[in-house]
Amino acid sequence: MAERVLIVDDDPVQRRLLEAMVNRFGYESFTADGGDAALTLLCGAEASHIDCVILDLVMPDLDGLGVLAKMRERGLRIPVIVQTAHGGIDNVVSAMRAGAADFVVKPAGPERLQVSLRNALAASALENEFTRIKHARTGTLTFKDIVTRSPQMHAVLRTAEKAATSSIPVLIEGESGVGKELIARAIHGSSERRAKPFVAVNCGAIPENLVESLLFGHEKGAFTGATERHAGKFAEADGGVLFLDEVGELPPAAQVKLLRAIQEGEIEPVGGRKPVKVDVRLISATNRNLMADVKNGRFREDLFYRLHVFPVTVPPLRERLEDVPDLVRHFLARFCAEEGKRIHLVSAEALALLRGHSWPGNVRQLENAVFRAVVLADGDSIGVAEFPQIAAQAQLQPALPAGDAAQSPPITGEIVSFAADGPAWAGTTAPLDRRQPGVLPLFDGDGEVRPLDEIEAEVIRFAISHYRGQMSEVARRLHIGRSTLYRKLENLGFEGEKPDPEREPVAAG
C-alpha cells in the first residue's frame, strides 16, 4: 500500500493536476475542495489513512492557515506541504510557524513537489519512530503507537483497549513474532498502572531449576549458591504489570506456585518463612495451544482458566498483508537512523515482493529482512535485489521455457501468477479464484491471449464488486480519476452497473 496524500484545493483544475502528479510519483491520492471538507476527513475515520497533506493557503471557506491551526488544536501530526500563488516571505513564515513541513509556490514543478513529498514523509516516519521508542522506554507505549491498517488488527486492538481499563488477567495468543509483547506494553501504557513497573519474563528461557527463584525470589542461604537475598520478578512488578511470555513453557512445580500467587495475591520466596503480599497485574502470552496442553496433561487446567480470563488473539502477518508496507517504512526509518544511512524509498516492485511473501516468522522476520536490506543498500533506495532470500523463494516456481511451449499441452484456462520479477507459469488449469489476489486468466478457451479491453473490463468489474460499488475507493485502488473510471464504464458498456455517485459516502471522494 502506497502512502496516501490528501490534496486540498478549491480549484478543480489544480486538484486534477496535483492528483496526476502524486499518482505518477507512486502515492495514492484523494482530494478535498476546501478547508472544511479537509477537516472532515482529517478528523474522521479516514484520518489514520492520511500520510501527508498538500494544502492550498488561499481558499474561500476556511483557508490553509485556518486548517493548520485546527490541526494543531486537535493534535494532528500529519505532515503538511502548503502551496499558494502568492509566495511572499510573510506567507512562508506564517505557514511554517503554523506547523507546515514545507512550502511550494504555484504552479509547483513535478521535481520540486516530489522532493518535498519524499522529505516530508521520511521526516514524519522518523519522528513517529522516535516517539515510539521514547514511549517504549518510558513505559507509556499506547495502542496509537502500534503500526497497523488491518481491520483485523484494529478489532484486536479495540478488544485489548477494553482490557486496559481493568485489572483482569489477559492471555495474548499468537504465533511467534506477531508482536504479543507490544500488545502487552500497550495495555500497560494505557492503564492506570502505567506509572508503575512493567516487568517482562521469558518463561521458555529460564532453566527449570531456577524458575521459582527467579519468579518468586529466595532468601539468603536457601540453596547452594544463594549468597544473598533475591526479591523475584513478582516483587519487582509490585503495583505494576508482570508479563509472562511463553507461559506454556513453565514446569509443573512452577505452575502450582503461580496458581497460588494469582489466587491469593501473595508469593512464597524459596526458603522464606512467610508469604509476601503483592499487587500485580498479570498478562501472559503463548504461541502454544494451551487447551491442547491441558488435555494431554502438560498444563494445569485450573491455571489455564485463571490465565484465560480475557484472551486476545493476534493474527499472523500473512493474514494482514496490508500492514506490510507501513511496517516496512516503520523499520526503514529506525534502521536508517541507527545505521546512519539516507534511504528515501522502497521500490514498488520490492513492496509487491514483500506483500506476496507468507512470512512464517511474522513481523520479527520482516523486521530482520528490512534490517538486512538497509545494510545491503548502496544507494538511496531499496529494490528487489536487497531482498535476495525472499526473491529466491518467489522464484521457486520457474517460468516455462520458450522452447518447451510447442511441446506443452493445450493451455486452456491457464493461470498466470504475477510475481515481482515478472509472470511465471503456475502450472494449473484451475478456474480463476476471485478470492486469491494476483491471479488472472490471460487465455481464452481456444488457448489464445484474451483482448486487452476484455481483461480491463474484468478487472474493473472485480474492483467494483470487491469494494461494494464505492467508486471513489475503486478509482483510488486502480490509480485513476473518478471521472476516468466513469468514462471507462461507459466505453466498456457498464452503464447498467454504474452506481449512483450521489449515494456514495461524502468522505470517499
Side-chain angles (χ1 to χ4, degrees):
M1 182 184 295
E3 290 98 331
R4 294 179 173 182
V5 179
L6 173 62
I7 299 168
V8 186
D9 200 310
D10 61 313
D11 183 354
V13 175
Q14 185 68 16
R15 285 201 306 270
R16 286 196 294 271
L17 290 173
L18 288 172
E19 191 174 9
M21 279 195 285
V22 168
N23 290 339
R24 191 164 67 248
F25 299 155
Y27 306 118
E28 290 187 26
S29 64
F30 52 113
T31 62
D33 60 4
D36 291 330
L39 282 178
T40 300
L41 290 172
L42 290 167
C43 300
E46 287 285 326
S48 61
H49 302 303
I50 299 173
D51 298 298
C52 188
V53 180
I54 300 176
L55 177 66
D56 188 17
L57 276 184
V58 181
M59 292 182 289
D61 53 355
L62 181 66
D63 65 7
L65 292 176
V67 173
L68 286 168
K70 295 288 185 183
M71 290 179 65
R72 186 167 54 185
E73 287 175 9
R74 300 176 189 188
L76 298 174
R77 303 178 65 86
I78 303 170
V80 178
I81 300 170
V82 296
Q83 60 159 2
T84 181
H86 311 286
I89 189 64
D90 292 340
N91 288 333
V92 175
V93 172
S94 299
M96 293 303 182
R97 284 179 175 174
D102 203 351
F103 186 92
V104 294
V105 179
K106 289 182 179 180
E111 296 83 2
R112 174 69 178 88
L113 184 61
Q114 185 175 23
V115 170
S116 184
L117 278 169
R118 182 186 300 171
N119 291 342
L121 289 166
S124 176
L126 190 59
E127 181 182 359
N128 291 338
E129 182 57 27
F130 283 152
T131 301
R132 291 187 190 96
I133 293 173
K134 178 182 178 181
H135 288 173
R137 289 181 176 176
T138 58
T140 57
L141 193 78
T142 66
F143 294 101
K144 293 181 180 179
D145 295 312
I146 296 178
V147 179
T148 183
R149 291 189 184 182
S150 164
Q152 198 173 354
M153 270 299 291
H154 279 302
V156 171
L157 296 183
R158 285 195 297 270
T159 301
E161 283 178 344
K162 294 177 181 178
T165 60
S166 104
S167 294
I168 189 171
V170 177
L171 177 63
I172 306 174
E173 301 171 303
E175 297 179 7
S176 179
V178 296
K180 297 188 291 293
E181 183 172 343
L182 190 65
I183 300 291
R185 289 186 179 276
I187 292 174
H188 169 248
S190 303
S191 70
E192 295 179 350
R193 295 174 180 254
R194 56 183 172 272
K196 299 295 184 177
F198 178 92
V199 179
V201 180
N202 188 338
C203 300
I206 310 174
E208 187 170 339
N209 60 331
L210 295 179
V211 171
E212 292 187 36
S213 171
L214 182 70
L215 290 180
F216 309 111
H218 63 257
E219 298 295 333
K220 181 178 179 180
F223 51 85
T224 303
T227 57
E228 58 184 21
R229 183 178 178 274
H230 174 65
K233 297 298 182 182
F234 265 88
E236 287 181 25
D238 191 25
V241 171
L242 178 64
F243 175 60
L244 298 180
D245 196 10
E246 307 307 342
V247 70
E249 305 297 332
L250 283 176
Q255 292 179 29
V256 175
K257 295 196 71 172
L258 177 60
L259 177 64
R260 176 172 177 78
I262 297 173
Q263 287 178 334
E264 306 298 333
E266 59 185 26
I267 57 174
E268 293 186 15
V270 178
R273 297 183 178 181
K274 60 180 181 180
V276 178
K277 284 286 185 182
V278 290
D279 175 23
V280 171
R281 165 80 182 274
L282 191 65
I283 302 178
S284 309
T286 181
N287 62 0
R288 302 175 62 94
N289 185 339
L290 287 188
M291 180 58 76
D293 287 348
V294 169
K295 291 179 179 178
N296 62 33
R298 192 181 182 280
F299 199 82
R300 291 183 63 96
E301 184 176 11
D302 47 3
L303 177 58
F304 170 77
Y305 288 115
R306 284 287 183 179
L307 298 177
H308 199 260
V309 180
F310 196 100
V312 175
T313 302
V314 185
L317 186 57
R318 63 180 174 274
E319 294 180 7
R320 47 186 177 104
L321 291 174
E322 60 266 45
D323 281 346
V324 168
D326 287 328
L327 289 169
V328 168
R329 288 188 284 271
H330 160 69
F331 294 134
L332 181 65
R334 190 176 91 208
F335 293 132
C336 284
E338 291 177 358
E339 297 297 312
K341 289 199 171 187
R342 295 180 61 85
I343 299 175
H344 299 297
L345 58 90
V346 179
S347 71
E349 294 79 8
L351 283 177
L353 174 69
L354 299 180
R355 287 196 67 175
H357 193 58
S358 60
W359 300 109
N362 294 295
V363 179
R364 186 180 294 121
Q365 182 188 3
L366 176 61
E367 180 181 10
N368 293 334
V370 175
F371 192 4
R372 184 167 54 247
V374 169
V375 174
L376 290 174
D378 294 321
D380 62 353
S381 65
I382 290 177
V384 174
E386 278 70 46
F387 299 98
Q389 296 174 331
I390 298 172
Q393 292 181 38
Q395 295 172 358
L396 288 178
Q397 192 68 279
L400 185 68
D404 295 341
Q407 303 174 5
S408 63
I411 47 178
T412 304
E414 200 82 22
I415 291 178
V416 175
S417 174
F418 289 90
D421 57 343
W425 296 102
T428 175
T429 56
L432 174 66
D433 182 356
R434 292 184 181 273
R435 295 169 300 176
Q436 182 180 356
V439 293
L440 183 71
L442 299 184
F443 298 93
D444 59 20
D446 298 324
E448 300 296 337
V449 175
R450 299 169 62 200
L452 185 59
D453 59 348
E454 189 177 302
I455 295 174
E456 184 180 52
E458 185 168 338
V459 171
I460 292 176
R461 190 189 301 271
F462 174 85
I464 292 173
S465 173
H466 183 71
Y467 295 109
R468 300 180 180 179
Q470 295 187 18
M471 303 303 282
S472 296
E473 184 69 11
V474 171
R476 277 203 297 272
R477 297 296 180 178
L478 296 180
H479 285 193
I480 59 177
R482 191 160 53 172
S483 59
T484 303
L485 175 60
Y486 288 139
R487 186 170 64 253
K488 286 182 178 292
L489 291 177
E490 294 174 359
N491 293 340
L492 295 171
F494 284 9
E495 294 95 358
E497 301 180 24
K498 185 171 68 174
D500 180 3
E502 298 298 326
R503 299 178 63 183
E504 289 191 65
V506 175

